[in-house]
Amino acid sequence: MLKKLIATIAVTICCLANPLPVKAQHQIGAYLKDNEGHRQLVESIKNLGVIVLVNHKLHCINEEFAGLYYDNGVLVICQDNRPENNGIEVEWTDNDLDTLRHEAHHIVQDCALGTIADGKMIRMFVNEDEYFDFIEGSSLDLVELYTKLREILSEEETLIEIEAYVVAKDIPVGHINKKIIEFCN
């Protein structure tokens, strides 16, 4: 809880104190013009009022960090080929697009319980049988993923993350976009 509070305060400070996020938000999508589904997904996310940051200097410090959705309405993507953390979008890799889909599903999870940016998140498959039926069909190595996530997250947070990984890997971007519109509008 304390870690979440600190992260929320840090995002709020950076977004209020730094003009870069607003400027960067308008640039996002320039490299997605040939990828209509992902471009529409970004537009839907921005239309919800979610702040979308790409290659932000405060969030993309760790080279291995790919992205994050703060359930206070901020989405961060740290692109693989970013030359520096300056808020400027570069060509999207397959991994960048996977990260976008993963974080977009977290937005759906945020909207599914209450309203967007209310600090509440839930799995889409709350019924255990439905959840495990959904993830069993994935091509991901879920045992390894579960083991890694459980080292740092609670059981429920791990299940939420695994659901987002499976959605990003196996569900088409257009379906994710439809769920954002359905659950968040």
Side-chain angles (χ1 to χ4, degrees):
M1 185 70 172
L2 181 60
K3 189 163 73 169
K4 190 180 222 180
L5 176 63
I6 292 170
T8 301
I9 292 169
V11 169
T12 303
I13 290 170
C14 86
C15 293
L16 293 176
N18 185 352
L20 181 59
V22 174
K23 179 179 165 191
Q25 187 166 0
H26 296 292
Q27 298 169 351
I28 297 166
Y31 286 95
L32 290 174
K33 61 183 169 214
D34 295 330
N35 192 322
E36 185 62 20
H38 287 89
R39 190 194 61 70
Q40 286 179 350
L41 180 61
V42 169
E43 287 304 312
S44 293
I45 291 167
K46 288 172 24 180
N47 287 340
L48 293 173
V50 172
I51 297 169
V52 181
L53 306 174
V54 174
N55 304 326
H56 191 272
K57 64 183 176 182
L58 296 179
H59 300 283
C60 299
I61 297 167
N62 183 338
E63 289 291 322
E64 296 174 14
F65 187 74
L68 181 70
Y69 173 68
Y70 292 99
D71 58 7
N72 66 351
V74 177
L75 184 143
V76 178
I77 303 291
C78 302
Q79 292 181 290
D80 291 338
N81 296 326
R82 64 188 183 273
E84 57 185 272
N85 300 325
N86 58 4
I88 304 299
E89 174 188 16
V90 296
E91 195 73 38
W92 290 71
T93 66
D94 288 342
N95 184 58
D96 296 337
L97 296 173
D98 183 79
T99 301
L100 174 60
R101 293 188 305 274
H102 175 102
E103 301 308 335
H105 185 66
H106 283 316
I107 294 171
V108 176
Q109 292 169 326
D110 182 19
C111 293
L113 184 64
T115 59
I116 191 161
D118 64 0
K120 301 174 190 171
M121 195 175 286
I122 191 171
R123 286 181 281 139
M124 296 305 300
F125 296 95
V126 291
N127 175 289
E128 296 297 319
D129 291 334
E130 290 177 1
Y131 177 84
F132 289 108
D133 285 346
F134 173 69
I135 67 167
E136 280 179 353
S138 177
S139 57
L140 294 171
D141 181 354
L142 296 177
V143 173
E144 181 182 344
L145 180 60
Y146 178 85
T147 303
K148 286 180 180 178
L149 291 172
R150 278 301 285 142
E151 292 175 4
I152 57 173
L153 300 174
S154 72
E155 178 73 20
E156 186 58 26
E157 290 169 330
T158 298
L159 297 178
I160 286 171
E161 279 300 317
I162 288 175
E163 183 181 89
Y165 276 106
V166 172
V167 165
K169 176 78 171 161
D170 298 333
I171 303 298
V173 66
H175 286 40
I176 299 168
N177 194 32
K178 285 179 186 174
K179 290 299 177 188
I180 281 183
I181 293 167
E182 177 185 337
F183 281 87
C184 298
N185 285 327

